[in-house]
Amino acid sequence: MALKLQRLQSWQISQKFIPPNRKAPQTTAGGATRGGSCYLEGKESLTALMPLNKSGLTLAERPTFYWFVPQIPEETAHFSLLDGEDIVYETTFKLPKQLGIIGFTLPTKAPSLQVGKNYHWYMSIACGSEEVGEGITVDGWVERIQPTTDLSKQLARTNPKQLSQVYATSGIWYEVLDTLIQQRLTDPGDRTVMANWKALLESVGLNNLVSKPLVNSWNAKTN
């Protein structure tokens, strides 16, 4: 029993996110903070599930982005992806009626991310106005990288239940987050998954989101 507990504790610790040794990209345009206020009732705010520097790596051509959306009357959000000042892709998608963590995956009609490029994304909600600029906005960065040969081999031979560990220790933010969310959706009662989820979010300062429900997390529906 002691050995089993020791292994579980070691597993939980390994879920802490280890940021890659990279400089955070410089913001060239005005952006919002990682959380914002929509002058709503209550103290919760729109929050991007991102590390403190709002920058993350991915291996995917079209990654999934996640946010916590509080209880709000608005029904749609606007998403845009920029390469410098050029808009690569933008769309609107429906918001859930209840508060929770939602996800949006870049669709196949969106251009695939190019390796080595830093893209700046924005997610905005127009609060009581048709003009997105009058609402609240959170933003972040995503860079697609090519996995090293060693990382590719490690991912190929790793048990699916342990993939989040590899992503976390390799600094691959978008994959570790998506992997744990998919595991939560598959088996909501798995205590190990929940422990890993808690350790990951706490390691990037998102302690207040650990207990938030997953709402339409597999993919937000675009209009």
Side-chain angles (χ1 to χ4, degrees):
M1 176 65 80
L3 179 59
K4 183 177 180 180
L5 178 60
Q6 183 179 8
R7 287 177 178 173
L8 178 58
Q9 291 175 338
S10 175
W11 172 256
Q12 292 174 12
I13 292 174
S14 69
Q15 295 302 303
K16 292 184 178 180
F17 183 67
I18 301 178
N21 187 21
R22 290 169 177 256
K23 290 184 179 180
Q26 297 297 315
T27 301
T28 55
T33 58
R34 63 183 269 160
S37 173
C38 205
Y39 305 104
L40 303 172
E41 296 181 1
K43 299 180 180 180
E44 296 179 312
S45 60
L46 176 66
T47 307
L49 272 69
M50 293 292 295
L52 290 169
N53 65 0
K54 300 193 292 186
S55 181
L57 300 179
T58 183
L59 304 178
E61 294 183 3
R62 297 176 179 85
T64 301
F65 306 85
Y66 289 96
W67 308 275
F68 167 72
V69 181
Q71 189 78 50
I72 55 177
E74 283 68 32
E75 298 181 350
T76 60
H78 181 268
F79 175 84
S80 57
L81 183 69
L82 283 72
D83 178 7
E85 297 183 358
D86 299 324
I87 297 177
V88 176
Y89 177 76
E90 62 179 341
T91 189
T92 57
F93 59 86
K94 294 181 180 179
L95 293 172
K97 294 182 179 180
Q98 65 270 40
L99 67 79
I101 294 171
I102 68 167
F104 171 73
T105 303
L106 284 178
T108 55
K109 63 182 179 181
S112 60
L113 302 187
Q114 297 183 33
V115 174
K117 273 195 173 184
N118 251 313
Y119 296 85
H120 199 177
W121 59 258
Y122 295 86
M123 191 275 225
S124 305
I125 300 175
C127 302
S129 169
E130 294 182 358
E131 297 297 329
V132 172
E134 295 182 10
I136 53 172
T137 301
V138 288
D139 68 322
W141 296 83
V142 56
E143 178 187 353
R144 181 188 171 196
I145 64 169
Q146 195 71 36
T148 63
T149 301
D150 289 341
L151 178 58
S152 295
K153 291 180 179 179
Q154 187 176 9
L155 290 172
R157 65 172 179 260
T158 299
N159 185 301
K161 291 186 177 181
Q162 300 176 354
L163 280 175
S164 58
Q165 176 187 11
V166 178
Y167 290 132
T169 56
S170 301
I172 314 296
W173 174 256
Y174 286 89
E175 271 70 9
V176 65
L177 182 64
D178 186 58
T179 297
L180 284 175
I181 285 180
Q182 297 308 318
Q183 289 177 350
R184 284 193 60 194
L185 289 171
T186 301
D187 191 353
D190 191 314
R191 293 185 178 182
T192 300
V193 172
M194 281 305 302
N196 292 338
W197 170 256
K198 181 175 184 291
L200 176 71
L201 293 193
E202 289 181 346
S203 71
V204 294
L206 294 174
N207 311 49
N208 60 318
L209 300 186
V210 171
S211 61
K212 300 303 181 184
L214 304 180
V215 182
N216 196 25
S217 295
W218 51 94
N219 198 358
K221 295 180 180 179
T222 57
N223 290 332

